[in-house]
């Protein structure tokens, strides 16, 4: 059965909220954000090696990052790296990978996951994915994994589920809500009926293609037309044309929120989407004053507390009198930002681009 299991790792984002470390030419997934000695995509790839055969792991990324994938995952075959010519969100990404895999193995069951998330309990993650792949191989269903919320976080999407189950463990999905306000998030958490949307999906190739046929038929037809090109020398030229025919839409909005065979597996495997510097701060080791410093070799803090500091290795940095600040230096850029204002990083990036062009982006 394992030969029918496939993994699709989505690695096309630019990670602008981690600017200035994450740049358009070298984004977040290719960086060792947590100082572990491995980049996020390397850690994600190694996790899936414990679930599916190495030859069944595919990386979907911007074609500008194909060389980075080869550099960081040298063991992967070039045919397993799917380069996207233009960013079109996650639905075309899933359609491309699903049709390509279906041509190789119509009995395939596929897990689709981002390349840049943190999993603190990989054993539980592996067990949950294996359970989901087994269920997907037996049933015509679309499975998503939901994280039991530990707080009313407004930065995550929420999924409401019912008591109706599939194979005992998977609950029928009722509603999706994207990033609610604080009061609504509190209500969601208190009800016990909502889970965080982890953006991890499991389905059979047959089920997801059937869903595309029903809910995104034009996109499905675009990739269906590539049947003779997939896994041949013509694949690249076909994809160059196909992507420009696709609408910019997420798999959540395009299919998951509309389909009637969506189920969710409630779980808790120590998940974080590492979406902001604050999320890195929460996970990083801290000193007795709550300062997190990566790497910690040459930073001296005076009268400072609860700061997130990420500076080049070997650089001497002295900080005095800061509380609740993010201090990041990379790529000839220094950013000092209060933690409460870190949601403005995207706007900062836009302003820098407007003033200086792409030099610092």
């Amino acid at each position: 059965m394992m030969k029918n299991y496939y993994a699709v790792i989505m690695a096309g984002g630019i990670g602008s909220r981690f600017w200035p470390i994450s740049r358009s030419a070298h984004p977040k997934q290719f960086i060792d954000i947590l100082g572990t000695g491995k980049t996020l995509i390397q850690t994600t790839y190694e996790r899936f090696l414990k679930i599916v055969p190495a030859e069944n792991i595919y990386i979907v990324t911007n074609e500008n990052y194909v060389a980075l994938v080869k550099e960081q995952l040298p063991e992967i075959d070039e045919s397993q790296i799917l380069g996207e010519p233009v960013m079109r969100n996650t639905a075309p990404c899933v359609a491309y990978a699903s049709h390509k895999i279906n041509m190789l193995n119509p009995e395939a069951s596929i897990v689709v996951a981002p390349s840049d998330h943190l999993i603190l309990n990989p054993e539980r993650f592996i067990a949950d994915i294996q359970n989901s792949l087994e269920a997907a191989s037996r049933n015509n269903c679309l499975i998503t994994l939901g994280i039991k919320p530990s707080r009313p976080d407004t930065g995550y999407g929420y999924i409401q589920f019912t008591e109706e189950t599939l194979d005992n463990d998977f609950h029928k999905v009722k509603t999706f809500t994207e990033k609610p306000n604080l009061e609504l998030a509190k209500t969601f958490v208190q009800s016990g009926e909502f889970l965080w949307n982890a953006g991890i999906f499991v389905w059979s190739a047959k089920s997801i293609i059937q869903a595309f046929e029903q809910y995104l038929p034009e996109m499905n037809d675009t990739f269906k037309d590539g049947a003779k090109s997939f896994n041949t020398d013509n694949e690249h030229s076909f994809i160059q044309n196909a992507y420009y025919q696709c609408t910019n839409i997420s798999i959540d909005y395009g299919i998951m929120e509309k389909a009637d065979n969506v189920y969710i597996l409630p779980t808790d495997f120590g998940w974080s989407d590492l979406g902001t510097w604050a999320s890195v701060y929460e996970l990083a080791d801290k000193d007795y004053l709550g300062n997190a410093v990566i790497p910690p070799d040459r930073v001296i803090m005076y009268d400072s507390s609860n700061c997130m500091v990420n500076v080049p290795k070997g650089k001497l940095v002295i900080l005095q009198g800061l509380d609740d600040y993010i201090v990041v230096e990379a790529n000839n850029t220094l950013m000092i930002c209060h933690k409460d204002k870190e949601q403005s990083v995207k706007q900062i990036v836009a302003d820098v681009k407007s003033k200086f062009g792409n030099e610092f982006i």
Side-chain angles (χ1 to χ4, degrees), residues 85-105:
V86 63
M87 293 179 70
R88 285 290 188 267
N89 216 314
T90 53
C93 159
V94 171
Y96 176 14
S98 299
H99 275 276
K100 179 180 173 73
I101 291 170
N102 186 61
M103 290 302 298
L104 292 168
N105 182 357

Side-chain angles (χ1 to χ4, degrees), residues 107-324:
E107 300 303 314
S109 293
I110 307 167
V111 52
V112 179
S115 60
D116 54 3
H117 287 186
L118 177 72
I119 307 296
L120 293 175
N121 186 346
E123 291 79 14
R124 173 70 183 272
F125 175 83
I126 290 165
D128 285 336
I129 297 298
Q130 288 173 333
N131 185 17
S132 300
L133 285 165
E134 290 171 10
S137 68
R138 294 192 303 267
N139 302 281
N140 178 22
C141 62
L142 308 176
I143 295 171
T144 185
L145 273 64
I147 308 300
K148 296 173 184 176
S150 58
R151 60 189 181 278
D153 199 304
T154 59
Y156 295 143
Y158 287 73
I159 301 175
Q160 185 182 21
F161 61 93
T162 70
E163 290 302 310
E164 181 184 343
T165 61
L166 174 75
D167 292 356
N168 296 319
D169 297 326
F170 303 89
H171 289 257
K172 190 78 180 285
V173 167
K174 186 175 182 181
T175 63
F176 286 79
T177 304
E178 182 63 21
K179 297 181 181 179
N181 62 39
L182 183 58
E183 288 306 310
L184 196 54
K186 286 179 179 177
T187 302
F188 287 173
V189 174
Q190 289 167 1
S191 75
E193 298 176 1
F194 289 80
L195 301 166
W196 285 338
N197 185 352
I200 301 170
F201 310 103
V202 183
W203 39 54
S204 67
K206 291 176 183 175
S207 293
I208 190 60
I209 290 174
Q210 183 179 323
F212 270 101
E213 288 174 350
Q214 184 171 354
Y215 301 106
L216 292 174
E218 291 183 0
M219 186 179 295
N220 188 68
D221 287 345
T222 295
F223 288 98
K224 189 177 180 181
D225 287 344
K228 294 181 180 179
S229 299
F230 289 129
N231 310 302
T232 74
D233 293 339
N234 297 325
E235 180 173 334
H236 181 262
S237 59
F238 168 78
I239 289 299
Q240 292 294 311
N241 180 55
Y243 260 73
Y244 285 96
Q245 299 177 43
C246 293
T247 52
N248 189 327
I249 189 170
S250 70
I251 193 69
D252 300 73
Y253 186 72
I255 288 181
M256 301 299 281
E257 293 183 21
K258 298 178 174 66
D260 59 4
N261 60 337
V262 178
Y263 291 84
I264 192 166
L265 176 65
T267 187
D268 186 5
F269 39 68
W271 170 86
S272 171
D273 71 346
L274 291 179
T276 62
W277 282 113
S279 64
V280 174
Y281 172 80
E282 292 298 323
L283 295 159
D285 292 333
K286 305 172 189 66
D287 65 17
Y288 71 102
L289 290 174
N291 296 308
V293 182
I294 303 172
D297 58 343
R298 295 190 183 182
V299 177
I300 302 176
M301 314 277 287
Y302 295 100
D303 303 319
S304 297
S305 57
N306 306 312
C307 290
M308 173 73 237
V309 183
N310 191 306
V311 293
K313 191 172 182 179
K315 180 153 193 169
L316 176 61
V317 176
I318 315 297
L319 299 176
Q320 195 277 332
L322 294 183
D323 181 58
D324 268 342

Side-chain angles (χ1 to χ4, degrees), residues 11-14 23-27 29-30 59-71 81-87 236 240 244 358:
I14 59 174
R23 296 292 183 97
S24 57
H26 197 98
Q29 59 269 29
F30 302 107
I59 314 292
V60 186
T61 190
N62 188 295
E63 62 182 16
N64 294 328
Y65 305 147
V66 169
L68 276 172
V69 174
K70 290 179 182 177
E71 177 187 323
I81 305 173
L82 314 188
E84 299 178 293
V86 63
M87 293 179 70
H236 181 262
Q240 292 294 311
Y244 285 96
N358 292 322

Side-chain angles (χ1 to χ4, degrees), residues 14-75:
I14 59 174
S16 60
R17 285 181 292 182
F18 278 93
W19 185 86
I21 280 184
S22 180
R23 296 292 183 97
S24 57
H26 197 98
K28 165 189 169 188
Q29 59 269 29
F30 302 107
I31 298 171
D32 179 11
I33 290 278
L34 294 170
T36 63
K38 293 180 181 177
T39 66
L40 296 176
I41 193 172
Q42 287 172 331
T43 303
T44 302
Y45 177 77
E46 289 179 4
R47 244 190 331 264
F48 281 115
L49 280 177
K50 299 175 182 176
I51 302 172
V52 306
E55 63 272 19
N56 288 6
I57 300 177
Y58 288 82
I59 314 292
V60 186
T61 190
N62 188 295
E63 62 182 16
N64 294 328
Y65 305 147
V66 169
L68 276 172
V69 174
K70 290 179 182 177
E71 177 187 323
Q72 297 201 358
L73 303 175
E75 62 272 44

